[in-house]
Amino acid sequence: MVIRLKKNKEKAVLNFHPWIFSGAIASGENGLPSGSIVRVESSSGGFLAWGHYDPKSQIRIRLFSFDESKNGSEGTFWTEKWNAIYESKLALLPKETTGFRLFHSEGDGVPGIVVDCYHETAVMQLKTPGAMSLCEPLVSFLSQKGFKTILERNDKSDDKVTGDTIFHKGAEKEPQFTEHGIKFIADITKGQKTGFFLDQRDNRALVSNYAKDRMVLNTFAYSGAFSVYALLAGAKSVHSLDISKQAIELCERNLKLNGINLGNEPDKHKSLVLDSFDYLKTMDSYFYDLIILDPPAFTKSIATVNQASRGYKDINMRAMSKIKVGGLIFTFSCSQHISFDLFKKIVFGAAKDAKKRVRILHHLTQSPDHAYSVFHPEGEYLKGLVIQVDGDI
């Protein structure tokens, strides 16, 4: 099956970008089944790449091979690719770490496939029809690698209307895993994403370098992972804040799992089931000297970037206004449509309106197992800064 592009629309493919949008296609779509492997050609008929076709997406084709001799239908194509990624990911892992992202979609050259591993449990997200067509061989591959529970978890879509959770093997719902030797529980059936935010692993470790003897506020805390790191590093006290009671319960379980006994040291940690926006508005000034701002994505489309920018600016301005002089803020955006340059401009605007002297200590991004391709800059979705608020201007 051949898709031919319009004249002068092949430049992105020649630059190895993995997406072809609907507007670039000249012919070949009529009657093509969803998830089909297609050969992509230039307007003059020259080979460009192989990809999976999705008629219901503006991203019509997601490319997985730029080698004319490897079209994805060969018996060993996918297992060889997956095995090479598996070996490279294991080589990247820190000591005493059994939680990691095995397959990171376009970042690993496997568009639409996300697999997160929690010790002996693998959680799959198959985000496109092409990825869904590979479900059976992927389950077989993961089983051969020794995973005892293999779960498929996907959002609702026209192609897969159930949007439910499917156990392909095993039945573990709350696997335990380690990260730098620290223990965590992943809520893989009801939690956010695949059950845990593995992309913040290195940034959590950085919090450990600064948390000792500090009063820490962890907003949008979810599993409480930042809180666990801070307390184990010697924080004076940590307040974990989330609007979800279920999230806070998971946070407290992770604290206990690491021997942080809330009964014996009640002043060490406080759980707050509150809206983070509201709390930042009303909290006491100059109480905290380390604040973590790790909200969910405020926008998932270009149309709402301005609204999202206002949200990021608001929480940063309020944190800057109330943190102790010399305090540190770990601030993040996981919105793909908020670029790093825009995020820094947002933080600049927050500092200007708060009339605070702010310095940038670190630029942060997702952990190495979530690396993005140089040919696909859209894969850099997690942007973070560590800033120090030095006082009034």
Side-chain angles (χ1 to χ4, degrees), residues 218-255:
N218 182 15
T219 65
F220 309 97
Y222 183 45
S223 63
F226 276 110
S227 301
V228 174
Y229 271 83
L231 285 165
L232 292 177
K236 187 180 296 183
S237 179
V238 176
H239 292 173
S240 300
L241 173 64
D242 201 286
I243 198 170
S244 166
K245 182 180 178 181
Q246 179 182 323
I248 289 299
E249 288 173 351
L250 180 60
C251 168
E252 293 182 346
R253 291 175 65 196
N254 280 322
L255 291 169

Side-chain angles (χ1 to χ4, degrees), residues 52-304:
H52 280 129
Y53 177 71
D54 184 358
K56 295 179 179 178
S57 172
Q58 286 297 306
I59 305 172
R60 281 289 197 272
I61 307 169
R62 295 176 188 257
L63 305 176
F64 57 78
S65 173
F66 296 90
D67 184 337
E68 189 171 7
S69 67
K70 297 180 179 180
N71 66 8
S73 64
E74 306 89 352
T76 60
F77 176 86
W78 289 106
T79 53
E80 287 179 357
K81 181 185 278 277
W82 293 337
N83 197 63
I85 298 167
Y86 178 81
E87 295 297 331
S88 70
K89 291 296 176 77
L90 292 183
L92 291 173
L93 292 182
K95 293 180 180 179
E96 298 184 87
T97 296
T98 61
F100 65 99
R101 175 153 291 184
L102 174 53
F103 297 142
H104 186 53
S105 196
E106 282 85 356
D108 288 322
V110 287
I113 300 176
V114 169
V115 176
D116 284 340
C117 302
Y118 303 104
H119 191 41
E120 295 181 334
T121 296
V123 184
M124 309 186 304
Q125 287 185 312
L126 307 177
K127 297 174 177 289
T128 65
M132 292 174 190
S133 72
L134 294 169
C135 180
E136 187 176 340
L138 180 56
V139 169
S140 177
F141 172 83
L142 294 170
S143 184
Q144 290 171 13
K145 291 301 179 185
F147 291 100
K148 295 181 179 179
T149 294
I150 302 172
L151 174 71
E152 181 184 354
R153 183 174 168 180
N154 295 297
D155 297 329
K156 293 183 180 180
S157 69
D158 292 335
D159 291 291
K160 199 163 190 174
V161 294
T162 55
D164 54 5
T165 296
I166 302 170
F167 282 92
H168 292 279
K169 180 183 179 182
E172 178 62 70
K173 293 183 179 180
E174 291 186 335
Q176 292 186 19
F177 66 99
T178 57
E179 189 178 273
H180 298 294
I182 300 173
K183 301 173 185 176
F184 291 105
I185 299 165
D187 184 359
I188 61 174
T189 59
K190 295 178 291 184
Q192 298 179 41
K193 299 292 185 181
T194 65
F196 200 85
F197 289 97
L198 296 167
D199 52 3
Q200 289 280 24
R201 182 179 64 232
D202 289 4
N203 301 327
R204 287 189 281 266
L206 185 61
V207 164
S208 297
N209 293 344
Y210 291 106
K212 186 175 175 59
D213 297 327
R214 291 185 184 267
M215 299 292 292
V216 179
L217 173 64
N218 182 15
T219 65
F220 309 97
Y222 183 45
S223 63
F226 276 110
S227 301
V228 174
Y229 271 83
L231 285 165
L232 292 177
K236 187 180 296 183
S237 179
V238 176
H239 292 173
S240 300
L241 173 64
D242 201 286
I243 198 170
S244 166
K245 182 180 178 181
Q246 179 182 323
I248 289 299
E249 288 173 351
L250 180 60
C251 168
E252 293 182 346
R253 291 175 65 196
N254 280 322
L255 291 169
K256 292 176 182 177
L257 188 63
N258 287 280
I260 302 168
N261 193 320
L262 305 183
N264 291 343
E265 297 180 286
D267 295 334
K268 274 286 187 181
H269 182 267
K270 182 184 289 186
S271 295
L272 301 167
V273 182
L274 294 169
D275 182 275
S276 294
F277 281 92
D278 293 341
Y279 187 81
L280 288 166
K281 291 178 184 177
T282 59
M283 71 182 188
D284 293 338
S285 297
Y286 314 121
F287 181 78
Y288 301 105
D289 51 4
L290 197 160
I291 297 175
I292 299 158
L293 303 174
D294 183 25
F298 286 166
T299 177
K300 294 187 177 181
S301 72
I302 295 175
T304 55

